[in-house]
């Protein structure tokens, strides 16, 4: 393979580190940027260099915020009575997109995974307990992923939260919309049965 | 389900071979070390994306070559699909109709049941080999079983790490083990019971009784749940002290018996017969559950049976579906292959007779 000039090779190397981007995609992006108008490349460079400094984690819920508090925590239209717990800031964005949830959030920044050295102390759990202890929270919705790790995290949190008083719920896990019942495995099906509703 | 065409490239001593197989009996004969077992290995590789001889896939690639390819046209009724496995450089590529697919997507498109002396470790090897045989056979039958197995492995690994680190989230992993472990045990128990039943109706020379039992045969989910819970309680202190896992379906025992005695102590002839019986039972169960036959891969069949019995057995298996049979005896090969196809294997080349 032909070697690129050093600056191009450096860019390809950096792009390759990003999730979902392999050598080929990195090359394509790098060559695209090489040919793109100067202004476009400058905008990207600025966005990259500026965004980290301008962002921080909300001191209440750990979501990504521009200031001390995130948009959800400062929104007066939201209720303090319900807390939705998610693993990652991205999960919050996804729940928000449904526009159905009008409570507040708590972001754990991960899920329990002893294999990767992530125990309870590595997650932002203390802040969650403090918020609930402070009172006013009537329901905590555990919206961690339906993975082995996400489930374990939900079990862990439920045990800690229940004695503090609020109702603790788990989002219904089950069959993806449009999927065929024949292909569901029993763990998924058992979950879907557990989460059944009355008509 | 059967293999219409098998293409092999750079697998063990086979540089390149292509065979047009028949839907019934296919007999491969040749002297020792010519590549007969390797050819069956190739068929098994296309079906299951792993070798029945070894877990170390790089030893399967022909020495001096970067990669191997095994490809098959699988026929099911009027449907044909092109399956392909490529191994090399520590990577495994799976393709269906030439398009790359994930392992989850690949599995279940072609099923085989294998009798080969390399498989004797199912009976003589470690408990892990036995469990693996049972889990892989059940997984070939039920997609949900494969998923349960993968999740259980994950839970066991996480829980093991939690114990080792003595971290405070142990109870959460206990709960996960309880849910996933129970589901796996119940499914495994059902499969084991049905395999045991099928074993009674299949090959049993001299009418010996065969038995396959589990240390945890409970099929009722509530009872299995309670049992696992009790085990977790009982072992709690010991697990805490040692930082090691002592419970779970990843440790359960599979008992195989011949005439009431543990098969580990049986003669090698008896052990081979039991393995053959198990292979036929797997085939029968597959037929019962799916309504179609898996492909039988029977290696050196006539080293186990006398010629007449071997011929009868071939007839029986092929009444349901396809069989690929190898033998070192050209005479028997010619006689038994009268109703099927005959191939000669010589120095890694396969020639239709
Ligand atoms: N990775 C490899 N590369 C080349 N040859 C191999 C490799 N592995 C095994 N062999 C050789 O392939 C030959 C065929 O083996 P096998 O299929 O077991 O023969 P058969 O079943 O006909 O007795 C043997 O001589 C063996 O040494
Ligand atoms: Mg052989
Ligand atoms: Zn916030």
């Amino acid at each position: 393979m032909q070697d690129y000039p050093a600056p191009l090779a450096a860019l390809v190397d950096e792009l390759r580190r990003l999730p979902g981007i392999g050598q080929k995609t990195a090359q394509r992006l790098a060559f695209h940027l090489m040919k793109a108008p100067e202004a476009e490349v400058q905008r990207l460079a600025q966005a990259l260099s500026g965004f980290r400094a301008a962002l921080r984690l909300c001191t209440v819920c750990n979501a990504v915020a521009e200031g001390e508090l995130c948009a959800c925590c400062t929104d007066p239209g939201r209720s303090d009575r319900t807390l939705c717990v998610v693993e990652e800031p991205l999960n919050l964005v996804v729940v928000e997109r449904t526009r159905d949830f009008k409570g507040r959030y708590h972001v754990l920044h991960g899920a329990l995974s002893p294999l990767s050295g992530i125990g309870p102390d590595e997650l932002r759990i203390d802040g969650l307990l403090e918020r609930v202890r402070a009172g006013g929270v009537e329901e905590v919705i555990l919206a961690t992923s339906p993975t082995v790790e996400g489930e374990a995290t939900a079990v862990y949190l439920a045990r800690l939260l229940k004695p503090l008083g609020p109702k603790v719920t788990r989002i219904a896990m089950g069959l993806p919309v449009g999927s065929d019942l024949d292909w569901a495995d029993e763990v998924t099906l058992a979950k879907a049965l557990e989460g059944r509703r009355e008509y | 389900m059967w293999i219409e065409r098998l293409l092999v490239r750079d697998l063990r001593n086979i540089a390149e071979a292509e065979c047009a197989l028949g839907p019934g009996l296919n007999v491969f004969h040749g002297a020792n070390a010519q590549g007969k077992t390797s050819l069956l290995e190739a068929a098994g590789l296309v079906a299951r994306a792993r070798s029945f001889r070894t877990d170390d896939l790089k030893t399967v690639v022909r020495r001096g070559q970067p990669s191997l390819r095994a490809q098959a046209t699988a026929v099911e009724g009027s449907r044909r699909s092109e399956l392909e496995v490529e191994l090399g450089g520590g990577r495994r590529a799976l393709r269906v109709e030439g398009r790359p697919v994930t392992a989850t997507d690949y599995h279940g498109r072609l099923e085989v049941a294998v009798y080969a002396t390399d498989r004797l470790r199912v009976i003589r090897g470690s408990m892990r080999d036995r469990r693996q045989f049972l889990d892989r056979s059940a997984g070939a039958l039920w997609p949900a079983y494969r998923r349960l197995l993968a999740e259980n492995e994950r839970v066991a690994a996480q829980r093991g790490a939690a114990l080792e680190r003595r971290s405070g989230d142990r109870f959460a992993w206990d709960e996960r083990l309880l849910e996933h472990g129970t589901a796996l045990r119940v499914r495994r128990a059902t499969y084991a019971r049905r395999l045991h039943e099928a074993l009674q109706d299949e090959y049993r020379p001299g009418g010996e009784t065969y038995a396959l039992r589990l240390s945890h045969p409970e099929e009722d989910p509530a009872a299995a749940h309670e049992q696992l819970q009790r085990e977790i309680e009982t072992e709690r202190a010991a697990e805490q002290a040692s930082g090691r896992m002592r419970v779970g379906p990843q440790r359960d025992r599979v008992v195989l018996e011949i005439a009431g005695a543990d098969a580990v102590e049986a003669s090698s002839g008896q052990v081979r017969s039991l393995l053959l019986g198990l292979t036929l039972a797997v085939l029968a169960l597959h037929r019962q559950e799916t309504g179609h036959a898996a492909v039988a891969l029977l290696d050196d069949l006539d080293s186990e049976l006398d010629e007449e019995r071997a011929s009868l057995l071939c007839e029986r298996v092929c009444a349901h579906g396809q069989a690929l049979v190898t033998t070192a005896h050209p005479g028997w090969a010619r006689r038994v292959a009268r109703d099927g196809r005959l191939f000669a294997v010589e120095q890694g080349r396969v020639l239709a007779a």
Side-chain angles (χ1 to χ4, degrees):
Chain A
M1 195 173 67
Q2 180 196 329
D3 272 342
Y4 316 121
L8 196 54
L11 179 58
V12 170
D13 271 356
E14 291 308 320
L15 289 170
R16 260 182 54 189
R17 292 173 199 269
L18 299 173
I21 295 190
Q23 176 73 20
K24 277 197 183 140
T25 312
Q27 282 172 23
R28 201 146 32 92
L29 291 173
F31 277 93
H32 168 84
L33 289 172
M34 203 178 72
K35 285 191 266 170
E38 181 62 20
E40 187 181 314
V41 179
Q42 282 310 325
R43 273 202 307 277
L44 178 63
Q46 250 162 26
L48 275 176
S49 66
F51 94 101
R52 281 278 278 257
L55 290 180
R56 41 213 274 202
L57 295 186
C58 171
T59 52
V60 173
C61 76
N62 311 310
V64 181
E66 266 184 84
E68 179 122 343
L69 295 175
C70 75
C72 286
C73 285
T74 47
D75 183 349
R78 287 177 170 268
S79 160
D80 288 321
R81 288 199 298 267
T82 321
L83 272 186
C84 178
V85 180
V86 294
E87 289 175 20
E88 300 294 343
L90 184 62
N91 302 143
L92 184 157
V93 177
V94 175
V95 178
E96 268 308 279
R97 246 182 244 146
T98 66
R99 288 194 216 91
D100 277 337
F101 180 67
K102 291 292 172 231
R104 307 219 189 255
Y105 289 94
H106 192 88
V107 185
L108 297 169
H109 287 270
L112 292 175
S113 177
L115 277 175
S116 331
I118 302 175
D121 295 344
E122 278 68 40
L123 302 178
R124 307 200 177 216
I125 293 175
D126 289 345
L128 172 64
L129 299 180
E130 262 168 51
R131 288 174 82 183
V132 175
R133 274 196 207 101
V137 178
E138 288 165 17
E139 180 177 1
V140 180
I141 303 169
L142 300 174
T144 51
S145 342
T147 56
V148 159
E149 292 76 16
E151 292 289 353
T153 308
V155 170
Y156 182 84
L157 292 177
R159 169 89 68 105
L160 267 62
L161 288 166
K162 272 187 196 156
L164 303 180
K167 180 160 109 182
V168 180
T169 56
R170 177 88 175 107
I171 50 168
M173 295 299 167
L175 310 171
V177 175
S179 71
D180 192 331
L181 206 61
D182 289 350
W183 286 95
D185 63 275
E186 53 253 68
V187 176
T188 307
L189 207 52
K191 283 253 154 48
L193 280 169
E194 252 170 46
R196 69 188 182 276
R197 299 167 285 120
E198 198 178 314
Y199 273 112
Chain B
M1 195 182 329
W2 60 285
I3 304 173
E4 186 178 53
R5 189 183 66 105
L6 182 64
L7 185 89
V8 186
R9 204 159 280 161
D10 292 328
L11 185 144
R12 298 209 188 262
N13 71 331
I14 305 173
E16 179 162 7
E18 183 169 4
C19 346
L21 303 175
L25 184 60
N26 297 272
V27 183
F28 299 86
H29 74 85
N32 263 335
Q34 300 304 304
K36 301 183 297 298
T37 307
S38 304
L39 203 68
L40 298 196
E41 190 179 20
L45 187 65
V46 187
R48 292 195 168 184
R50 64 170 80 90
S51 159
F52 62 74
R53 283 172 129 177
T54 175
D55 286 331
D56 187 6
L57 285 174
K58 63 180 177 298
T59 63
V60 187
V61 179
R62 190 157 73 99
R63 270 189 291 279
Q65 298 303 311
S67 63
L68 74 75
R69 204 152 71 90
Q71 200 180 328
T73 310
V75 182
E76 165 84 80
S78 60
R79 262 207 348 260
R80 277 182 169 65
S81 53
E82 205 60 45
L83 308 177
E84 185 185 338
V85 175
E86 195 176 327
L87 296 174
R91 286 165 42 87
R92 182 181 77 172
L94 307 174
R95 296 187 197 97
V96 177
E97 315 298 356
R99 280 188 298 275
V101 295
T102 63
T104 317
D105 243 9
Y106 188 82
H107 284 122
R109 292 170 186 271
L110 175 67
E111 286 312 332
V112 293
V114 185
Y115 169 79
T117 45
D118 306 84
R119 303 294 297 149
L120 286 175
R121 64 193 145 100
V122 166
I123 297 163
R124 285 250 166 101
S126 65
M127 203 42 84
R128 188 170 163 272
D129 288 317
R130 287 189 186 183
R131 261 193 315 269
Q132 211 168 59
F133 160 75
L134 207 62
D135 286 340
R136 286 181 178 171
S137 307
L141 205 53
W142 298 319
Y145 197 101
R146 292 199 288 275
R147 158 116 189 250
L148 271 177
L149 211 53
E151 280 174 345
N152 256 286
E153 247 166 55
R154 185 87 187 148
V155 170
Q158 290 285 22
R159 186 169 180 271
L163 281 170
E164 206 177 301
R165 292 162 45 91
R166 296 182 160 76
S167 64
D169 53 348
R170 178 190 164 157
F171 68 84
W173 295 108
D174 286 356
E175 199 274 350
R176 289 292 84 202
L177 170 66
L178 203 50
E179 175 169 331
H180 290 276
T182 301
L184 178 60
R185 274 184 173 173
V186 165
R187 266 279 165 142
R188 193 192 263 158
T190 302
Y191 186 79
R193 173 178 51 78
R194 299 200 38 198
L195 197 60
H196 171 84
E197 285 162 9
L199 199 53
Q200 311 313 310
D201 304 331
E202 291 297 333
Y203 175 70
R204 289 189 294 133
E208 278 161 321
T209 57
Y210 291 151
L212 183 149
R213 288 188 287 107
L214 292 179
S215 57
H216 295 74
E218 188 55 73
E219 288 181 61
D220 173 52
H225 188 273
E226 198 177 300
Q227 182 178 16
L228 185 49
Q229 192 153 33
R230 266 202 314 276
E231 285 170 32
I232 293 173
E233 291 305 327
T234 312
E235 296 294 341
R236 184 173 306 285
E239 283 190 326
Q240 196 78 33
S242 64
R244 290 266 161 87
M245 272 220 290
R246 295 167 61 93
V247 287
Q250 77 288 355
R251 303 171 49 94
D252 292 353
R253 294 166 41 77
V254 183
V255 181
L256 283 165
E257 286 175 349
I258 301 174
D262 196 313
V264 173
E265 293 149 22
S267 76
S268 47
Q270 283 178 310
V271 168
R272 283 209 299 272
S273 301
L274 173 56
L275 183 64
L276 189 51
L278 277 171
T279 307
L280 299 174
V282 167
L283 283 170
L285 197 45
H286 196 275
R287 254 187 346 259
Q288 284 170 26
E289 274 289 287
T290 65
H292 56 75
V295 176
L297 304 178
L298 309 173
D299 194 32
D300 283 328
L301 188 61
D302 60 336
S303 70
E304 160 58 20
L305 307 172
D306 59 46
E307 290 203 353
E308 198 191 324
R309 276 185 168 171
S311 305
L312 278 172
L313 197 125
C314 286
E315 219 172 87
R316 245 184 99 179
V317 169
C318 293
H320 300 292
Q322 187 182 43
L324 276 58
V325 177
T326 70
T327 173
H329 304 113
W332 178 71
R334 264 188 291 280
R335 282 192 291 282
V336 75
R338 265 195 296 266
D339 315 315
R341 293 193 191 180
L342 183 63
F343 302 86
V345 182
E346 212 182 301
Q347 291 183 2
R349 280 189 301 274
V350 184
L351 307 161

